[in-house]
Amino acid sequence: MENAKSVKLILEDGTEIQGQSFGAFTSAAGEVVFSTAMTGYPENLTDPSFAGQILVLTYPMVGNYGVPGEELYESISKIFESDKIHIAGLVVNYYSEEHSHWNAAKSLGDWLAEYNIPGIFGVDTRMLTKKLREKGAMLGKIVAEQDVPLHDPNLENLVAQVSPQGVQHYGTGQHKIVLVDCGTKTNIIRCFLERDVELIRVPWDYDFTTLDYDGLFLSNGPGDPKMCTATIGHLQTALSQDKPIFGICLGSQLMGLAAGGDTFKLKYGHRSHNQPVKLTGTQQCYITSQNHGFAVDTDTLPAEWTMLFENLNDGTCEGIKHKTKPFFSTQFHPEAAGGPQDTEYLFDDFLKAVAEHKAAK
């Protein structure tokens, strides 16, 4: 890339890595994490769960298929996972300035620049990823002309920053589902609308217990789930009843906390499209898409709760369920985008539980 300006990636342990700038020539700080996904950067960068993070992509060439133009589906994005880029910065090995794809509308660098997000390329991302695996996710900063202090986004209520301000309605289907938006990916909404539901999307701290609904859905989102005290309080009320509840990612952690369990921060998180999980009590395994830095501590769950899925790489909890009530969650993303769609059937399982609960009333 001709005339690229020099920038540095600086980690909290003092490591300095020289590279070249693409995207916005500006400085930014956040938590440095890595993703081993081979494709899907338009989806990853617009996933609100990446808020506050400097994302390292391990795939060696990035940007070669550009960024697609926006299309709408039922007033939401048909392509992206939200309406903007959420990462604090992007780190890659080789940035392909020239892109080629049938639906590409712009380059990755131009897209980052639109949102004033810095990128750095020419970085040995293999070395960097090994460091993050050994030491864990670290604070860091991309420094252009002006230095900035290190910043830990996990000390903030990131969910409050990415959650919508008001209530939104979608669809006119037979089942009324409340979606508690803690930073939801748009494909979750698409998956529901394709299944003929009426969706009521509410902010993270909205008292949804005042609403009339058939089923409750808890979305993904960024940061420490313990920051969401309002959501946990409302969810505890919902758990005392028997309407079906389904949680994904942060939603799984919130369900665990509301049930009386605890959560903990993973050393370097799970961020990829190839995480193997096993359905507890079976030999059934799935390859899943994941993006999270916290997990439920299953040893702290009350006796009426159990682990639903287990991560086959490190044995951590990938979902929980209530033993008698229709409450369950997954730590992974059954809606994918990007990644495998092997577990999208869980949306059908949830709506089947909703239908059965309505029929039994």
Side-chain angles (χ1 to χ4, degrees):
M1 185 172 171
E2 295 183 4
N3 303 318
K5 297 179 180 179
S6 294
V7 291
K8 288 189 293 187
L9 174 66
I10 302 176
L11 303 179
E12 63 176 301
D13 68 351
T15 300
E16 294 193 11
I17 302 171
Q18 196 75 34
Q20 294 179 290
S21 170
F22 74 109
F25 185 65
T26 187
S27 301
E31 182 182 34
V32 183
V33 301
F34 66 89
S35 172
T36 60
M38 297 174 66
T39 59
Y41 57 77
E43 294 88 348
N44 282 346
L45 271 57
T46 53
D47 180 353
S49 294
F50 275 121
Q53 295 179 328
I54 296 175
L55 177 60
V56 180
L57 297 179
T58 63
Y59 194 70
M61 181 171 66
V62 178
N64 55 305
Y65 56 88
V67 177
E70 179 64 288
E71 296 180 45
L72 294 181
Y73 165 74
E74 297 284 347
S75 78
I76 58 174
S77 176
K78 187 177 180 180
I79 297 171
F80 303 114
E81 294 308 293
S82 68
D83 59 0
K84 68 176 185 178
I85 297 176
H86 286 277
I87 61 169
L90 186 63
V91 182
V92 303
N93 179 280
Y94 177 81
Y95 169 59
S96 178
E97 185 179 15
E98 296 185 4
H99 60 273
S100 178
H101 195 273
W102 67 269
N103 72 344
K106 64 190 72 173
S107 71
L108 173 58
D110 287 344
W111 190 41
L112 289 171
E114 284 180 23
Y115 291 93
N116 199 37
I117 306 296
I120 177 173
F121 72 96
V123 173
D124 184 347
T125 51
R126 179 178 173 81
M127 174 276 295
L128 179 56
T129 301
K130 288 174 68 176
K131 178 184 284 289
L132 295 174
R133 281 181 61 91
E134 291 166 2
K135 296 190 176 183
M138 304 173 68
L139 301 184
K141 53 187 176 180
I142 296 174
V143 178
E145 292 179 319
Q146 299 294 324
D147 196 4
V148 291
L150 293 173
H151 172 66
D152 186 354
N154 293 301
L155 299 179
E156 302 175 1
N157 188 339
L158 296 173
V159 167
Q161 297 176 20
V162 301
S163 182
Q165 295 299 308
V167 177
Q168 298 165 295
H169 294 259
Y170 307 90
T172 57
Q174 59 179 326
H175 302 310
K176 187 181 294 186
I177 305 299
V178 168
L179 184 160
V180 183
D181 188 344
C182 297
T184 191
K185 292 172 61 182
T186 306
N187 202 42
I188 289 173
I189 300 175
R190 297 186 208 113
C191 285
F192 275 120
L193 294 180
E194 289 167 1
R195 288 164 170 81
D196 189 32
V197 304
E198 177 184 351
L199 202 62
I200 306 169
R201 182 182 186 183
V202 302
W204 72 280
D205 57 351
Y206 188 91
D207 186 1
F208 54 81
T209 64
T210 63
L211 300 176
D212 175 36
Y213 62 87
D214 302 317
L216 179 65
F217 177 83
L218 312 168
S219 86
N220 64 290
D224 188 341
K226 293 177 181 177
M227 293 283 187
C228 302
T229 53
T231 318
I232 295 167
H234 299 323
L235 183 53
Q236 286 172 335
T237 300
L239 291 176
S240 69
Q241 302 167 358
D242 57 2
K243 290 182 180 179
I245 306 175
F246 178 22
I248 287 177
C249 199
L250 181 79
S252 181
Q253 299 157 23
L254 294 175
M255 187 178 289
L257 290 169
D262 197 8
T263 56
F264 65 98
K265 196 174 191 304
L266 295 166
K267 184 177 180 180
Y268 47 81
H270 300 151
R271 299 174 181 89
S272 67
H273 296 164
N274 58 357
Q275 288 282 334
V277 304
K278 184 174 75 169
L279 181 63
T280 302
T282 75
Q283 292 302 309
Q284 180 67 58
C285 300
Y286 301 94
I287 300 299
T288 66
S289 177
Q290 302 197 17
N291 176 15
H292 62 101
F294 291 81
V296 173
D297 181 353
T298 52
D299 290 338
T300 66
L301 288 174
E304 63 269 23
W305 290 82
T306 187
M307 184 163 64
L308 179 57
F309 291 94
E310 177 186 2
N311 188 294
L312 291 178
N313 284 336
D314 60 14
T316 55
C317 176
E318 289 288 351
I320 61 175
K321 70 173 181 178
H322 195 280
K323 292 179 180 179
T324 59
K325 293 185 177 184
F327 309 150
F328 74 97
S329 69
T330 66
Q331 188 59 67
F332 53 86
H333 285 273
E335 83 287 351
Q341 299 174 328
D342 303 29
T343 56
E344 192 177 314
Y345 74 89
L346 292 168
F347 286 93
D348 300 311
D349 285 358
F350 172 58
L351 293 177
K352 180 181 178 182
V354 169
E356 291 174 349
H357 180 264
K358 289 172 65 177
K361 290 173 62 177

